[in-house]
Amino acid sequence: MQGLLAKGGIVIYPLLICSVIAMAIIIERLYQFSKVDKQISDELIKRIKANIKEGKIEAAIKVAEESKGPITKVLKRGILHWNKRAEEIENQMEEVKLMEFPKLERYLGVLNFIGKITPSLGLLGTVTGMIKTFQILSMNGEAQQLAGGISEALFTTATGLIISLPTLAAYYFFITKLEGIVNHSERREIELINYIKEIGGDDEI
C-alpha cells in the first residue's frame, strides 16, 4: 500500500477514497436490485384481474404479493382503490411510485459523481507530477528523480480512469434497470386502470 501511495503522490488518497465509496455503493445497489422483481408476469396479472372481477380484493392483493418490489406496491394501492374513479386510482398509484422508486435510485447520483470526478482527479495528479518533474529539472536532478515525477503523473491518470470506467458502467447499468422497472410499472398501471374501467369499477366516486 505504501508503494502505491508513493507512486501516486497526494492525489492518490482521494482517488482511493472514491474507489472504496464506489465499490460499497455498487455492492449495496446490486443487493437491493436483486431483492425486487423487475416485472410482473402476464399470468399473475390475469389472476389479479380475475379476482377483482369477482370482487375478491383481498385475494387479488395476495396474488400481487407473490411478486416483490415497487411494482407490487404500486398495483396493490390501485387494487385497494379499485372502486374509485380512474383518476383517483391513478393518483393513488402515483403517490406510491413517488415513495418507492426513489429508494432504488438512492446513491446512484453519488456513483455518477465519482465516475465523472475521478478522471479530473487523475489529471490533477498528472499536473502535480509534472510540476515535480520540472522542479527537479530546474535543480539539475538525476534521471531517477525525473522518472519518479513522470511516473506519478501517468500513474494518477491511469488510476482515475480505472476507477471511473467501471463506476460509470455500473451507474448506467443501474439506471437502465431502473428505467425498465418504471416503464413496466407504468404499463401495468395503465392495464389495471383500463381493466377496472372496463368492468365498471370506477362508477363510484
Side-chain angles (χ1 to χ4, degrees), residues 175-192:
I175 286 295
T176 301
K177 288 288 184 184
L178 180 57
E179 288 176 352
I181 295 172
V182 172
N183 290 337
H184 184 79
S185 177
E186 290 176 351
R187 186 184 123 201
R188 291 307 190 190
E189 290 166 42
I190 294 170
E191 187 177 352
L192 179 65

Side-chain angles (χ1 to χ4, degrees), residues 26-50:
I26 291 170
I27 293 172
E28 190 272 342
R29 288 293 88 190
L30 282 172
Y31 173 70
Q32 292 299 329
F33 273 79
S34 69
K35 294 196 304 181
V36 303
D37 290 328
K38 312 303 183 293
Q39 296 186 353
I40 292 183
S41 67
D42 292 336
E43 189 272 336
L44 209 64
I45 288 293
K46 287 179 182 177
R47 289 165 58 197
I48 290 171
K49 289 178 179 178

Side-chain angles (χ1 to χ4, degrees), residues 134-169:
F134 285 116
Q135 286 176 338
I136 294 169
L137 277 172
S138 67
M139 295 183 294
N140 296 318
E142 297 179 1
Q144 187 175 358
Q145 292 176 307
L146 290 172
I150 296 171
S151 174
E152 179 181 322
L154 297 175
F155 185 78
T156 53
T157 301
T159 302
L161 291 173
I162 288 169
I163 297 170
S164 175
L165 293 175
T167 300
L168 285 176

Side-chain angles (χ1 to χ4, degrees), residues 21-36 38 70 100-112 167 170-175 177-178 181:
I21 294 172
M23 182 61 67
I25 292 174
I26 291 170
I27 293 172
E28 190 272 342
R29 288 293 88 190
L30 282 172
Y31 173 70
Q32 292 299 329
F33 273 79
S34 69
K35 294 196 304 181
V36 303
K38 312 303 183 293
E100 294 299 322
F101 286 113
K103 293 178 182 178
L104 287 178
E105 198 175 2
R106 189 177 297 162
Y107 307 129
L108 294 186
V110 177
L111 205 62
N112 186 34
T167 300
Y171 168 75
Y172 287 112
F173 170 80
F174 290 127
I175 286 295
K177 288 288 184 184
L178 180 57
I181 295 172

Side-chain angles (χ1 to χ4, degrees), residues 6-23:
K7 286 182 180 179
I10 193 170
V11 178
I12 203 69
Y13 288 96
L15 283 172
L16 288 176
I17 292 171
C18 285
S19 68
V20 171
I21 294 172
M23 182 61 67

